[in-house]
Structure formats: C-alpha cells, structure tokens
Amino acid sequence: MDQSKTFQGKLASYGVVNRELSTGESWMTFWCLFCFCTMTMYNSIRVTPVLTDLGTIFGFTLSSSAFIVSAFAVAGLIFAFPSAWIMRTFGIKSTLLVAAIVSIIGTVMGLLVSDPTLFLFSRALEGCAFGIASVVVPNVIPRIFTPDKMGLVSGIWSLWVTPGLVLGFVTTPILFTSFGYLSLWIVSLALEVICTVWLVCCVKLPAIPKNAIEMEQTSKKVTYKHVHWVSTLAIALSMFCWGIVYGAVNTFYPTYLQVVKDMPLAMSSIVPLILALVTAPFGIIFGIIAGKTRTRKWFLVIPYLVAAVLYATIGFAENSNSVEPWIFAIGIGICAGGIPMATYALVPILAEDPKKADYGMAVLAFSLQLANVLIGFFGGIVEALGFYMASLLVLVPFAILGAVIALVSVGDKKALAEQDQERMDDQVLLKEELA
C-alpha cells in the first residue's frame, strides 16, 4: 500500500519544482504544450482534405467517411471528465506523457492496418493525446502565469489549433498526391516523437500555482465567495455549439469546395488555410483587447451572430460563385479569433476556485469532443438535404444558441470586479489584524 502511494506520489510530482518558475521557464513550458496540442490538431485535421479519397480506400460513403474524423475525438469524449481527476491524482506531466505514448501507438497501428474497423480504432487511439491535452493544458496556463498576463497568454493559447490546421491543409494535398496516404501518418509519427521528447525535457510546473502565490503569502485560508457555477457550466457547454459550427468547416469544407465549387484538391485546401491564417492575428489582438477591457463575453456573442449570418447566406451556398468561399473563410476566421479565446478564458474566471475551474474545463473539453464525434452525422444530413439546407438547419441554430448562452451568462467584467473587491476587503482586514 505504501509502495503504491509512493509510486503515485512520484508520478504526481513528476515535472514539479519546489520554487517559482522563471519567466523563461514559464514560456518554455507554454510553447512546448502549445506545440504538443498543435501536433494533436494536425493528427486530427490531416485527413480532411482527402476525406473522400480515404473513404474510397477503406470503403466508406460520404456520411461514414466523416467518422474517420469523428473517431479521433472518441478518446477525448471518454477521458474528458476523468482527465481532470487523473491529472490531479497522477500529475499533469505524467498524464500528458501517457497520452502521448498511446497516441504514438495509434499512429503506428494506422500505418499497419488495412481493415476499416481497425483503422477507425487506430484513429481513436491517436486522439488520446488530443482529448486529454484539451482538458489538461488549459488548466496549466493559470498555474504558470500571473493573472495580469492572462489576456495575452489566453489570446495566444486560443490559437493552438491554427498551426495544426495550416500544416494539414498545406502538406496533405502534396504528400497524398506524391506519396499516398501513409505519408501523412509518417509525418504524424515524427511530430509525435519530437513533441514527446520536448515534453519530457522541458515542461516544468510550480508546486504553488502563480495565480495563488499572492493569496498564499497572506498566510490566510483561501476562500472563494464569488463562484458563478451556473454560468461556468453554461459557457463550458456552449463549446459544443462552436465544435459543431467550426467542426463542419474543418471536416467538410474541402469536400464541399471539390463537389459544389468544382475546385481541385490543392485549391480546396487553400481556402480553409486562409481561414486558419486569419484566425492567428485576430486571436492575439482579441485576447489582448478582451483582457484589458474585460469584455470576453462580447467576444462570444458578436462572433456567434456573425457566424450565423455567414452560414445562412454564403457559407455552404450551392452555386458556382468562386468569390464567396474566400469571403466566408475570412469571416469565420475572424470569428474563430474570438470564440475559443473567450470561452477558454471565461471558464476559470467565472469558476474562480481552481478545483471548480479544472472540472469546468473538463465540461468544456467534453462538450467540444462530443461535437467532434457527432459532426460525422452532418455528412448524412448533407447527403439527404444538400450542403446549404444542412447548414441552414444545423449550423445556423447552433451559432444562435451559442450567442444566447453567452448573452444570458455572467460576464467577466462583473466576475472580476467582485474578485477585485474581495481582495481589497481582505487586504483591509489583514491590515487591521496586523495593527
């Protein structure tokens, strides 16, 4: 029993240092985890530009081939809630390392199998790192950065999907055309190994989170009096809306461009690439603005409404207009700069209590992974009704729902004002006690 506890303790303390991290160490850990998550996004997205081709290879229809993408999210769906408990019990770095190893096994399996069922199973194993990292890593960021830096950091962090999207949409058509689909898996394996080694060598975590150091220094028991738990859950659950709205683009837009707009494979990947490139600068700019003005709530409401308009008009329009996809890509790219940033930042702010924030992030991850699993059914709706009607009946309502949830939830301006007032009151009481 004692040996088990000792072993568990070693796992939990793996990568933890009994001191504050330097600024350089904090940013090294951040960029390592950012690239780790980007690698998992590439593993997910690398198949979408050639979804119909992979469907042909493995004998899938349009609707069933979408599950090549959805299967990747199964691990995230399974581990979304356990991940919060696992990381608190066995440690953050240990949890990520095990997830990385399982994903490597899944990629190797994908290189070797030809059976459709085993192929989908290998995709589920590959998704292990994606699913667990999407829960664990957002909880790391408040631990390694002080609250005054969270505007910039959360803005950068919200872009972790973008480099993976860019890499997938740029390289997949070239590799698939030149070397076949197995080359995509070889690139993934190389990236997984590099990121895993980087994780082992460079990720460090403080024993006391930076956002708790100030409170620890008061030598008082920390209490959390302004936990907006209903709004925390509502914002976390709203990530399901974004998962559907954005997931439809990631999964089906290249296919839509090939089938409806008659674009060649290479060109059909460039349009989503533009979307991803637009997201990057706007995500950072929006993160800084939202952090300084405390308006993260409105960086949900407005982009969701804009997305609803785009999907209702030009998003999946069934015509030969070749300009509309570019306008749509730029518009959704701007929306993608706001919604993930605001969602990931709002959950820990509204939860306030770090433990509740961990489980709030688990709900967020579960919502996103559930959307990633269910988005496969969008292909069946497309087969039955066409791209435009599927967009009108599915994507537009979910975009509007996301805006409504954000609108009725408590905003960061109110939550942070309450927390500021509480800290001021505590400081006054502390001075009175010392006097």
Side-chain angles (χ1 to χ4, degrees):
M1 185 72 176
D2 291 338
Q3 291 179 348
S4 173
K5 287 184 177 179
T6 302
F7 179 68
Q8 178 185 328
K10 288 180 178 179
L11 288 176
S13 62
Y14 178 49
V16 176
V17 295
N18 291 315
R19 56 177 175 80
E20 287 189 49
L21 297 185
S22 68
T23 300
E25 288 172 329
S26 295
W27 280 108
M28 175 60 77
T29 295
F30 173 84
W31 285 116
C32 177
L33 296 177
F34 182 94
C35 292
F36 184 89
C37 290
T38 287
M39 172 271 295
T40 68
M41 188 63 205
Y42 170 77
N43 287 350
S44 173
I45 209 67
R46 68 175 189 258
V47 301
T48 60
V50 292
L51 200 58
T52 53
D53 299 281
L54 286 174
T56 300
I57 292 170
F58 288 96
F60 297 122
T61 63
L62 174 61
S63 57
S64 60
S65 64
F67 290 101
I68 297 174
V69 177
S70 297
F72 187 86
V74 168
L77 191 64
I78 294 172
F79 286 106
F81 291 112
S83 289
W85 175 83
I86 292 169
M87 79 170 193
R88 298 180 72 90
T89 305
F90 298 104
I92 290 170
K93 190 169 178 177
S94 299
T95 301
L96 290 173
L97 181 57
V98 171
I101 292 171
V102 173
S103 295
I104 289 173
I105 293 171
T107 301
V108 172
M109 184 177 177
L111 281 167
L112 301 176
V113 301
S114 57
D115 179 77
T117 303
L118 291 177
F119 177 70
L120 291 178
F121 179 68
S122 75
R123 288 287 291 163
L125 291 179
E126 274 191 302
C128 186
F130 179 89
I132 290 180
S134 64
V135 178
V136 173
V137 175
N139 287 293
V140 174
I141 294 173
R143 288 170 162 85
I144 62 175
F145 290 102
T146 52
D148 61 297
K149 293 182 180 178
M150 286 305 296
L152 172 63
V153 174
S154 62
I156 298 173
W157 161 247
S158 68
L159 304 176
W160 65 270
V161 301
T162 303
L165 291 173
V166 171
L167 185 62
F169 287 127
V170 168
T171 62
T172 290
I174 299 171
L175 291 171
F176 183 84
T177 303
S178 302
F179 305 106
Y181 83 91
L182 291 178
S183 63
L184 308 178
W185 270 250
I186 293 172
V187 171
S188 280
L189 182 60
L191 293 175
E192 287 168 347
V193 171
I194 292 170
C195 288
T196 302
V197 172
W198 191 4
L199 170 73
V200 171
C201 295
C202 296
V203 167
K204 295 180 181 178
L205 302 158
I208 301 175
K210 284 202 173 185
N211 60 349
I213 288 176
E214 182 179 342
M215 293 181 179
E216 289 285 337
Q217 288 174 342
T218 65
S219 300
K220 295 180 66 177
K221 182 179 179 181
V222 179
T223 58
Y224 302 101
K225 301 176 182 176
H226 304 287
V227 175
H228 297 281
W229 188 233
V230 173
S231 290
T232 300
L233 291 179
I235 293 296
L237 288 169
S238 74
M239 200 60 174
F240 178 83
C241 298
W242 182 243
I244 294 294
V245 169
Y246 194 64
V249 177
N250 284 340
T251 305
F252 293 100
Y253 212 62
T255 301
Y256 158 77
L257 294 174
Q258 293 165 27
V259 173
V260 177
K261 302 293 186 179
D262 199 28
M263 286 189 182
L265 173 60
M267 184 61 71
S268 70
S269 296
I270 291 177
V271 177
L273 172 62
I274 295 299
L275 187 158
L277 292 175
V278 168
T279 300
F282 279 96
I284 296 173
I285 294 168
F286 288 165
I288 295 172
I289 294 172
K292 290 184 179 296
T293 60
R294 298 183 172 184
T295 53
R296 295 175 180 90
K297 172 177 178 174
W298 297 104
F299 280 94
L300 288 178
V301 175
I302 296 172
Y304 267 126
L305 293 177
V306 171
V309 172
L310 290 171
Y311 278 113
T313 54
I314 63 175
F316 283 95
E318 296 185 356
N319 57 48
S320 59
N321 189 303
S322 59
V323 177
E324 289 178 350
W326 302 95
I327 299 172
F328 172 76
I330 293 171
I332 292 296
I334 294 172
C335 294
I339 293 172
M341 173 278 297
T343 307
Y344 280 110
L346 272 171
V347 168
I349 290 172
L350 297 176
E352 188 183 18
D353 183 342
K355 185 175 181 179
K356 285 185 169 61
D358 286 348
Y359 287 101
M361 285 295 187
V363 173
L364 187 157
F366 178 84
S367 302
L368 180 60
Q369 301 302 340
L370 180 61
N372 289 338
V373 170
L374 296 181
I375 196 63
F377 292 103
F378 187 75
I381 300 173
V382 168
E383 282 189 330
L385 302 176
F387 278 102
Y388 179 71
M389 286 305 298
S391 175
L392 199 61
L393 295 177
V394 178
L395 305 182
V396 173
F398 273 113
I400 293 173
L401 178 60
V404 171
I405 291 173
L407 189 62
V408 301
S409 297
V410 174
D412 49 319
K413 181 167 287 188
K414 177 181 178 180
L416 290 171
E418 291 173 345
Q419 293 169 24
D420 289 343
Q421 185 62 50
E422 182 181 347
R423 279 191 289 270
M424 291 174 62
D425 294 342
D426 287 343
Q427 288 175 1
V428 171
L429 290 173
L430 181 61
K431 288 179 181 178
E432 291 176 352
E433 290 175 4
L434 293 175

